[in-house]
Amino acid sequence: MKDALLRAEGVSVMLGGTPVLRGVTLAARRGEIVGLTGPNGSGKSTLLRALAGLQKPYEGGIWLGGEALGSTAPSARARQIAFMPQSAERHPFTVLETVLMGRYPHLGRFELEGRRDRDIALEVMRRAGVEEFAGRQIDTLSGGERQRVLLARALAQQADVLLLDEPTAALDLKHRLLVMDAVREEAAARDVAVIAAMHDLSLAGRYCDRLLLMDAGRIISAGAPDEVLTPENLRAAFGVETVIEPDSVTGRPQVTLLGASGISGTAVGQAGGEGPRRMGEGVRVHVICGAGSGRDLMHQLVSAGYTVTSCVLGQGDTDRETAERLKVEFVPSPPFSAVSDVEHTLHLKLVEAADFVVLCDMAVGRNNLPNLHAAAGARRLLIVDGRPFSELDYTGGDAALAFEPLVHQGRRVARPDVLRTLARGSG
């Protein structure tokens, strides 16, 4: 990447005779946020320390602009690279004094902070949400508050490169957003290159321009968030099953954790093996739905690796459109027509073949009443606990009579818990 501000090529690091980084190559440009993610021990912190010049690699090289990082004088490097560690060292200084330490690279020998330095410190403290703590000793703050002070100190440095090690790890939801908004603002306003190690995958997907997924000291996937945050990649790196969907507001990838994969496998890009077994592999789930009640669930089930089938669905039904797009087997029916005996028989065969049947909170009329009756043939029945059934019955009570024994036969589950219940039941 020719226009990279910070670049690493083939960087390897040994700690205590153990390889921690193995041939890592990356680059960060001005104005972008690059996220590092991966399991504990994957090398994220060591990589940040190497990029900051605090850890010397035994192989490979790091360049800041066009100059090798190792040949840059420490004072000049401190003006160009700001590093935020995971936790604050203990000391008796106040918050304002701590943040003003970020101005030291810009001061001459024996020079004291001036009015401009204090103004910069107070401004970044405001952006990090710690202005009210200015006179308090840093040791009296909570872990999350100290973390925000460290961010303010890094911002006060006004460097061209910002290296952040887990900047949101100890923060509540509000301050995670505040911190990442401040980082995004810094990258945009001053054209700063940011590299941040992050465990919160959804937050990383929301704020980062590019992601690097690490495992065992290597980068196993790199690219845009939607290219890196995939069920396959996260299964390989973390050993977990996930559903990845676009956030309804931002459009960025949103990660929902389902559970552990159960079998660890080979990381993406490594030779040998086919990787870990997917959570739903070999398990058939039949979804009885209609009018969009099963759309999201079918998508989640397919993403988790389940073999999914569905009920009799008429032409024009939004659930049918979803099933067709996902290649989910279902029984097709003409639009606005009642389920025929032939269609019902085909539907019963799909129910019989399923390990689980999920009955969604769908509206039931005369046309699709047989779909409800078919649920009685389930070996294991999960009933989505949504709207009261009285609001879904458009048959004058016949559907309610069919639904009552299903409640005793099956298990009622809140919609967000369906996949977790399936995972436990099929493990």
Side-chain angles (χ1 to χ4, degrees):
M1 193 178 292
K2 294 181 180 179
D3 57 344
L5 181 57
L6 184 65
R7 179 169 53 93
E9 291 187 7
V11 170
S12 297
V13 171
M14 297 273 288
L15 295 177
T18 301
V20 180
L21 292 181
R22 307 166 187 260
V24 170
T25 295
L26 63 83
R29 295 172 295 202
R30 288 188 177 276
E32 74 169 349
I33 300 177
V34 178
L36 302 178
T37 191
N40 291 335
S42 59
K44 302 184 298 296
S45 294
T46 301
L47 176 57
L48 286 175
R49 289 180 58 81
L51 295 173
L54 303 175
Q55 177 67 57
K56 186 176 180 180
Y58 78 90
E59 284 184 4
I62 301 172
W63 289 265
L64 179 60
E67 187 175 353
L69 187 66
S71 63
T72 305
S75 58
R77 187 168 65 228
R79 288 191 294 272
Q80 296 178 75
I81 298 177
F83 173 65
M84 174 187 169
Q86 283 188 29
S87 57
E89 63 278 10
R90 301 188 69 85
H91 56 66
F93 298 106
T94 67
V95 168
L96 177 57
E97 289 168 338
T98 301
V99 175
L100 280 170
M101 292 176 186
R103 299 301 303 158
Y104 288 178
H106 301 278
L107 303 178
R109 192 175 185 183
F110 305 122
E111 183 181 359
L112 298 176
E113 306 92 348
R115 175 66 180 271
R116 180 173 180 273
D117 299 304
R118 293 180 64 86
D119 288 345
I120 290 173
L122 291 172
E123 170 61 18
V124 296
M125 286 167 61
R126 181 193 63 77
R127 289 165 54 194
V130 295
E131 188 177 22
E132 61 183 297
F133 306 135
R136 286 179 56 180
Q137 287 190 351
I138 192 170
D139 286 350
T140 68
L141 303 181
S142 70
E145 290 165 346
R146 289 198 301 271
Q147 201 166 15
R148 285 150 49 202
V149 173
L150 291 183
L151 174 66
R153 185 176 68 182
L155 294 178
Q157 204 165 325
Q158 292 195 322
D160 293 327
V161 177
L162 195 56
L163 303 177
L164 310 176
D165 197 355
E166 300 291 352
T168 65
L171 304 182
D172 58 32
L173 295 177
K174 172 185 174 182
H175 288 103
R176 289 181 191 180
L177 296 176
L178 182 149
V179 162
M180 291 310 298
D181 282 340
V183 171
R184 167 55 70 191
E185 179 183 300
E186 187 76 0
R190 294 204 313 105
D191 220 15
V192 170
V194 180
I195 302 178
M198 301 182 68
H199 268 308
D200 189 324
L201 299 177
S202 293
L203 205 65
R206 174 173 177 171
Y207 282 95
C208 295
D209 300 295
R210 289 188 294 121
L211 290 180
L212 307 177
L213 177 59
M214 298 187 67
D215 189 25
R218 296 184 175 92
I219 294 175
I220 62 172
S221 181
D226 59 354
E227 296 171 338
V228 174
L229 297 179
T230 67
E232 295 77 15
N233 282 347
L234 301 186
R235 184 183 310 116
F238 293 95
V240 296
E241 292 294 339
T242 57
V243 172
I244 318 292
E245 297 179 296
D247 184 271
S248 59
V249 176
T250 65
R252 292 297 193 101
Q254 181 77 21
V255 180
T256 300
L257 180 65
L258 302 180
S261 294
I263 300 177
S264 61
T266 305
V268 176
Q270 288 184 237
E274 297 180 358
R277 176 176 63 86
R278 301 177 73 185
M279 175 176 290
E281 187 175 328
V283 180
R284 293 178 64 91
V285 179
H286 183 76
V287 180
I288 299 178
C289 56
S293 62
R295 179 176 52 194
D296 292 344
L297 182 58
M298 283 191 283
H299 179 83
Q300 293 166 359
L301 289 167
V302 169
S303 296
Y306 291 94
T307 299
V308 183
T309 59
S310 193
C311 55
V312 181
L313 295 171
Q315 184 69 42
D317 191 308
T318 52
D319 280 337
R320 173 168 172 165
E321 294 171 357
T322 299
E324 290 174 336
R325 185 171 66 253
L326 296 175
K327 297 182 173 23
V328 166
E329 183 181 0
F330 66 95
V331 180
S333 177
F336 309 113
S337 64
V339 174
S340 68
D341 290 342
V342 172
E343 292 163 352
H344 184 57
T345 299
L346 293 173
H347 183 198
L348 289 175
K349 290 181 179 179
L350 292 176
V351 170
E352 183 181 353
D355 298 294
F356 293 89
V357 173
V358 179
L359 176 61
C360 295
D361 49 345
M362 63 181 188
V364 182
R366 294 290 174 187
N367 286 357
N368 68 336
L369 181 57
N371 280 344
L372 183 62
H373 285 298
R379 278 185 276 172
R380 286 181 284 186
L381 176 64
L382 300 182
I383 301 171
V384 175
D385 196 4
R387 293 163 53 194
F389 195 78
S390 59
E391 297 179 8
L392 302 171
D393 184 357
Y394 291 87
T395 65
D398 288 348
L401 290 174
F403 182 72
E404 185 175 351
L406 296 177
V407 174
H408 300 288
Q409 172 187 342
R411 176 179 177 182
R412 303 192 78 151
V413 180
R415 182 174 286 271
D417 296 329
V418 171
L419 268 70
R420 293 184 180 89
T421 303
L422 288 169
R424 289 193 293 267
S426 59

